[in-house]
Amino acid sequence: MAEQRHIRVQRARAQAIGGGVRCGGVAEVLARVVGVQAQDPASAALGVRARSVGLAAGDVRWAVENRVAVRGWFMRGTLHLVAASDVRWLLDLLGPVFLRSGERRLRELGLDPKLCARAERLIGLAIAADGPLTRAELTERLGTLGVPTEGQAAFHLIRRSALAGQICYGPEGDGPAARARFALLDAWLPADGRLPWEGETAVVELARRYRAGYGPSEAQDFATWSGLPMSAAKRAWAAANSDLPDAEGEDAAEAGDVRLLPAYDNYLTAYRSRELSVPAAHERQVWPGGGQIRASIVVDGWAVGTWSCGVKGSAGVMVSPFGALSAGVEDGVAAEAADIDRFLARG
């Protein structure tokens, strides 16, 4: 038990969600954890907040609008917010993996290779002609090829183009009805023809970064987080292990560091096992099914409840603890809730 507690606290420190560790800006957060999971942009921003100090939601938007950070499909073929400098080598490494694994789903949707190629060409031409386009606008264009505009077919074709390095999420547009828009990757992030890591060196670099930002951990954890085949993950792990310690700094004692992690947070998706992060008796409260992962209250990396966040003008942060909380933890929850209100400018 003491060993598990030690590993958990070290992981929380590595993730900048415990041990008093916080980052100073968006770029620093992304450098530390490789990418913040970003199916929901609002949750991604809150994931940055949980690992930093003094930032506001506008700082995350600024980082995206100014091409410091880019939202796209990377680890596990899932949406993440990553540093712009990491986009191309991560796509070069991971894109082919998830393009191959996605072929079966495309066939199930009735999307044969010829139609996929036509769709990719149409997406590129449409964005080149009319500027960044929303998912709905691209779906409408794909409908002219006979792609169903209802269901998941258009989404998978758009994701396919992103994994192939043709497009990426770009600007959101202006106004209250602003929606994320897709831009041509080469226009949004002009390439200089060089990749800092390629092939095996890229896999090793990803393993090295994972170990630094998620350790102590094992090759199986790295494979779970990255989505890479186990054989490749193990080879890279062995190479990366030769020159990198498992966790930074000295041993960390539990100090009651409370963080409110958003839904789908990295910390809750980055390991093959949940036993070090969430009590078994409360797993269903964090993972209720249907692919959901609820926003969680963690103390030194150990989940002690869930929380939800009301819209502007509502009750704000509402907590659902698994049991009685100590006075110190309650104070930490209150401080985090106030910081979320500040971050979202709701105060």
Side-chain angles (χ1 to χ4, degrees):
M1 185 66 69
E3 181 181 359
Q4 289 185 334
R5 192 158 51 241
H6 167 78
I7 292 172
R8 184 180 71 245
V9 174
Q10 290 285 28
R11 285 180 174 180
R13 285 178 56 85
Q15 274 282 293
I17 61 162
V21 178
R22 288 187 183 267
C23 299
V26 177
E28 188 179 339
V29 171
L30 297 181
R32 189 177 189 101
V33 301
V34 186
V36 172
Q37 195 149 323
Q39 294 102 312
D40 173 30
S43 290
L46 287 168
V48 172
R49 183 216 65 85
R51 293 168 170 81
S52 61
V53 59
L55 292 181
D59 296 315
V60 181
R61 288 194 297 272
W62 183 95
V64 172
E65 291 167 0
N66 288 274
R67 312 177 199 204
V68 173
V70 173
R71 183 169 170 245
W73 287 271
F74 299 99
M75 284 68 70
R76 300 184 305 287
T78 301
L79 281 166
H80 283 77
L81 189 68
V82 306
S85 58
D86 288 331
V87 167
R88 291 188 179 278
W89 75 269
L90 285 174
L91 280 177
D92 187 66
L93 170 62
L94 300 172
V97 174
F98 303 117
L99 284 170
R100 285 193 298 271
S101 65
E103 288 175 354
R104 178 178 177 181
R105 181 57 180 151
L106 292 171
R107 290 194 300 270
E108 291 173 349
L109 292 168
L111 304 172
D112 61 52
K114 287 185 178 179
L115 180 54
C116 289
R118 291 172 62 206
E120 184 173 329
R121 176 174 170 78
L122 182 148
I123 288 170
L125 290 173
I127 295 175
D130 299 326
L133 298 174
T134 66
R135 174 176 165 178
E137 290 168 337
L138 286 175
T139 297
E140 183 180 357
R141 307 294 179 89
L142 288 168
T144 66
L145 298 180
V147 175
T149 56
E150 302 292 331
Q152 291 294 304
F155 163 78
H156 280 277
L157 290 169
I158 294 168
R159 178 177 177 270
R160 180 179 180 273
S161 287
L163 287 169
Q166 181 189 34
I167 63 174
C168 66
Y169 276 101
E172 285 195 0
D174 300 317
R179 294 288 184 272
R181 297 172 183 272
F182 291 95
L184 294 177
L185 179 61
D186 286 341
W188 191 246
L189 295 177
D192 61 10
R194 296 176 292 114
L195 292 174
W197 298 279
E198 298 180 74
E200 286 297 316
T201 63
V203 188
V204 173
E205 174 64 14
L206 190 60
R208 186 192 70 77
R209 292 198 188 186
Y210 175 80
R211 190 174 181 193
Y214 296 80
S217 47
E218 299 177 352
Q220 293 88 341
D221 298 311
F222 172 55
T224 296
W225 170 80
S226 66
L228 289 168
M230 184 62 71
S231 56
K234 285 184 175 179
R235 287 195 305 271
W237 194 256
N241 279 0
S242 62
D243 61 356
L244 191 71
D246 264 321
E248 65 169 34
E250 299 177 357
D251 289 352
E254 278 193 284
D257 192 339
V258 178
R259 305 292 173 95
L260 266 56
L261 303 184
Y264 307 104
D265 190 78
N266 295 33
Y267 181 69
L268 300 174
T269 60
Y271 306 97
R272 61 173 175 160
S273 171
R274 305 166 181 174
E275 65 180 358
L276 295 183
S277 58
V278 179
H282 299 288
E283 273 198 19
R284 294 294 292 180
Q285 290 166 265
V286 178
W287 285 272
Q292 295 184 64
I293 305 175
R294 288 182 176 143
S296 300
I297 307 165
V298 298
V299 182
D300 296 313
W302 185 242
V304 298
T306 60
W307 65 278
S308 59
C309 191
V311 297
K312 186 173 182 179
S314 74
V317 172
M318 296 158 283
V319 301
S320 300
F322 298 152
L325 302 177
S326 70
V329 171
E330 286 187 343
D331 288 345
V333 170
E336 279 281 278
D339 193 62
I340 287 173
D341 280 336
R342 178 205 59 78
F343 180 81
L344 298 174
R346 301 193 308 185

